[in-house]
Amino acid sequence: MNAPNTAPIGRIIETDADVEQGMAWLAQRCPRMAHAYTLTGPLPLRRKPDGFAELLSAIVGQQVSVASAHAIWGRMSDAGLTTPQSCAAATEDQLRALGLSRQKIRYTFELARADIDFDALRTAPNADVIKTLVAVPGIGPWTAEVYAMFSLGRADVFASGDLALQEAARSLYDLPDRPKEAAFRKMAEDWSPWRSVAARLLWAYYAYLKNKEGIS
């Protein structure tokens, strides 16, 4: 499955300095983001590897605790089941014994057989990256957007369906309710070309709010 390179990919976030540049731009443009930044402090880079294993790990981690996800992924790594070839050749019984549910076993096989050209994704436009990934059962928009943000370093991607981002925006901008996904996507257009940094800030601000609640 190839992702054609038909448009510029925009900025790539590689270093903490890139995140700081984006945050400076956002703070200058939006006083509320500037205020949030005084509360959160420096934002994390959060770069991750790209490729099959990263996406498979995301599937393994769906709807289970962080501890359970780490344990299952550790067993899969020990068994050498982190490549398309090894997963495609595995049996359902093998995967079940490692802790995967029947649904995740199907998703594992689907991803292994999807023939994604991960090298091509590195230079594909954001829309093509998302389209390529969500075509695979088990990979929804959120997983695809997070992969684009953190595995490919795209600076202008935003996960508008993320509940934590929605709640952070509701609080920061004094909204009556969490913004719906479509409205939130429209709202985030003001943060382009640094929407991925805006997401980092809102996630950090959400964590600040949760910590504050825990103290009070």
Side-chain angles (χ1 to χ4, degrees), residues 36-44 201 204:
Y37 190 51
T38 65
L39 301 174
T40 66
L43 303 176
L201 175 66

Side-chain angles (χ1 to χ4, degrees), residues 185-199:
R185 187 178 301 111
K186 182 70 175 176
M187 180 180 178
E189 290 176 4
D190 285 343
W191 306 325
S192 181
W194 291 104
R195 281 178 280 192
S196 293
V197 177

Side-chain angles (χ1 to χ4, degrees), residues 100-175:
L100 292 185
S101 65
R102 185 164 75 173
Q103 185 178 58
K104 288 183 183 179
I105 291 171
R106 181 171 75 85
Y107 292 161
T108 297
F109 288 144
E110 293 279 5
L111 179 61
R113 296 163 184 162
D115 194 27
I116 296 174
D117 187 339
F118 290 102
D119 289 338
L121 286 187
R122 293 173 184 168
T123 55
N126 294 334
D128 286 0
V129 171
I130 305 302
K131 181 179 179 180
T132 297
L133 296 182
V134 299
V136 181
I139 299 178
W142 184 90
T143 299
E145 288 156 355
V146 168
Y147 183 89
M149 277 192 269
F150 301 127
S151 291
L152 299 180
R154 302 302 172 87
D156 201 27
V157 175
F158 192 80
S160 57
D162 186 278
L163 293 181
L165 294 183
Q166 292 173 2
E167 179 60 22
R170 183 203 64 76
S171 176
L172 183 60
Y173 290 92
D174 295 323
L175 303 176

